[in-house]
Amino acid sequence: MGTEQLIVALVVVAVVGFALARTIRIIPQATAAIIERLGRYHRTLTPGLNLVVPFIDRIKEMIDLREQVVSFPPQPVITSDNLVVSIDTVIYFQVTNPKAATYEIANFLVGVEQLTVTTLRNVVGGMDLERTLTSREEINTELRGVLDEATGKWGIRVNRVELKAIDPPASIQDSMEKQMRADRDKRAAVLTAEGQKQAAILTAEGEKTAAVLRARGEAEAAVLRAQAEAEAAAMRAKGQADAIGMVFKAIHEGNPDQRLLAYQYLQMLPELAKGDANKLWIVPSEMGRVLENLGGLFGGDKDGGNGKES
């Protein structure tokens, strides 16, 4: 009897323990749990400690409330100029209503993927290849708007849509690379020609400026030389005039007679004949009168001497 009571007690304890385990639910942070009671939605458990009715309430699904990143495989899309491009997309979304994400759609990830593919084909189908390659931001904006509006009833908010890659056909890529190389070569040739043109213009302007400065310098130098020569000539003329004036003044102050002037004239004749350019020189007509004065000068001295002796 004691053994049977012990077994019953153990069974009761096990049942109570199991019931307590099913009653207490601990929900992690950034997670929500959908509780169904007898097959119907009852409530949503929030993070922390929660109590449920065992054997009646059950957790339908655990929903991650954090922002999720899903990369979809490349999808072939036809542009308006009938070219097939492969587009790789990345979706950033977050569950905002766990109940709607559980009951409004069977698999919201598949729904987001298919909605992204169809929307991408609609958007890119109205663009040509060149616009598709250069309008990533425009495509991202349109995709985000359509997806956010369509997934709102699913309890999902699409935060961002990014195009990872847009790959045109290999033949188109080769043609585009050739065109880009040709454009780069063309721009390089244009820039080289413009550089040579600018260099030639600058060289010509430099030579012109140098010639003008040289001519201006030579003109100023010639003016300065002429001014210097004029000042020198004026100074020489002034010096000669001053010398002549001094000589004239000295002669007049000395009151020389005719015989002294004749004697000085004879002394200057040899100096006049010393010049290299004086090959022929002419004796003036006054030379006879000078000699007579000199003769009278020497005769007078002689007579005077005799008179003194007698």
Side-chain angles (χ1 to χ4, degrees):
M1 187 67 177
T3 303
E4 294 178 354
Q5 291 178 352
L6 180 61
I7 293 174
V8 170
L10 291 176
V11 170
V12 171
V13 171
V15 171
V16 171
F18 183 74
L20 289 175
R22 299 282 300 219
T23 301
I24 298 173
R25 295 292 183 179
I26 298 176
I27 306 301
Q29 183 66 33
T31 305
I34 302 298
I35 299 297
E36 289 183 346
R37 175 170 291 181
L38 300 177
R40 297 182 61 184
Y41 171 77
H42 177 59
R43 65 191 176 108
T44 301
L45 300 184
T46 58
L49 180 63
N50 295 272
L51 299 177
V52 297
V53 179
F55 308 110
I56 296 177
D57 296 341
R58 75 180 184 92
I59 296 179
K60 166 71 173 175
E61 191 172 356
M62 300 286 288
I63 305 296
D64 192 348
L65 301 180
R66 296 173 297 179
E67 184 176 16
Q68 301 181 45
V69 181
V70 180
S71 178
F72 299 132
Q75 299 294 328
V77 181
I78 301 176
T79 61
S80 62
D81 47 357
N82 296 324
L83 293 175
V84 179
V85 294
S86 179
I87 301 180
D88 211 355
T89 57
V90 178
I91 305 295
Y92 298 81
F93 69 92
Q94 187 175 10
V95 176
T96 58
N97 189 342
K99 178 184 176 182
T102 303
Y103 294 105
E104 294 296 333
I105 186 170
N107 189 331
F108 60 83
L109 286 179
V110 175
V112 171
E113 179 182 3
Q114 295 302 317
L115 186 59
T116 301
V117 172
T118 55
T119 305
L120 189 63
R121 287 175 177 172
N122 290 334
V123 173
V124 177
M127 300 180 179
D128 56 11
L129 178 61
E130 183 176 358
R131 186 181 173 189
T132 302
L133 295 175
T134 58
S135 303
R136 287 175 177 252
E137 189 63 30
E138 181 181 350
I139 298 174
N140 292 340
T141 303
E142 291 194 31
L143 277 175
R144 181 183 178 279
V146 173
L147 290 175
D148 194 28
E149 181 181 358
T151 58
K153 64 178 181 178
W154 299 343
I156 297 173
R157 181 179 67 244
V158 177
N159 297 326
R160 284 180 296 169
V161 179
E162 298 291 341
L163 301 184
K164 287 200 304 183
I166 301 176
D167 299 325
S171 59
I172 300 299
Q173 286 185 349
D174 185 58
S175 300
M176 293 173 62
E177 290 176 359
K178 290 180 180 179
Q179 182 179 359
M180 287 188 293
R181 284 197 297 269
D183 291 339
R184 286 195 296 268
D185 294 341
K186 178 181 177 180
R187 287 196 298 269
V190 171
L191 291 175
T192 301
E194 290 181 353
Q196 293 176 353
K197 176 182 177 181
Q198 292 295 330
I201 291 174
L202 293 176
T203 302
E205 291 180 352
E207 293 177 352
K208 176 183 176 182
T209 304
V212 171
L213 292 176
R214 282 196 300 269
R216 188 177 299 171
E218 292 175 357
E220 293 177 356
V223 171
L224 293 176
R225 284 195 299 269
Q227 291 178 352
E229 291 176 357
E231 292 177 359
M235 292 180 68
R236 286 195 298 270
K238 186 175 182 302
Q240 293 176 358
D242 293 341
I244 293 173
M246 292 176 64
V247 172
F248 183 78
K249 182 178 179 182
I251 291 173
H252 280 275
E253 289 179 354
N255 195 16
D257 56 5
Q258 188 69 23
R259 289 176 295 178
L260 178 59
L261 293 175
Y263 180 71
Q264 291 293 330
Y265 186 76
L266 286 176
Q267 286 184 335
M268 287 298 297
L269 289 178
E271 297 296 330
L272 294 174
K274 288 182 180 179
D276 295 335
N278 296 331
K279 303 302 181 181
L280 177 64
W281 56 288
I282 301 172
V283 177
S285 60
E286 291 84 359
M287 190 64 183
R289 190 179 301 172
V290 172
L291 293 177
E292 290 178 1
N293 292 332
L294 288 176
L297 175 61
F298 292 125
D301 289 341
K302 185 177 179 181
D303 293 339
N306 292 333
K308 288 179 181 180
E309 289 177 356
S310 61

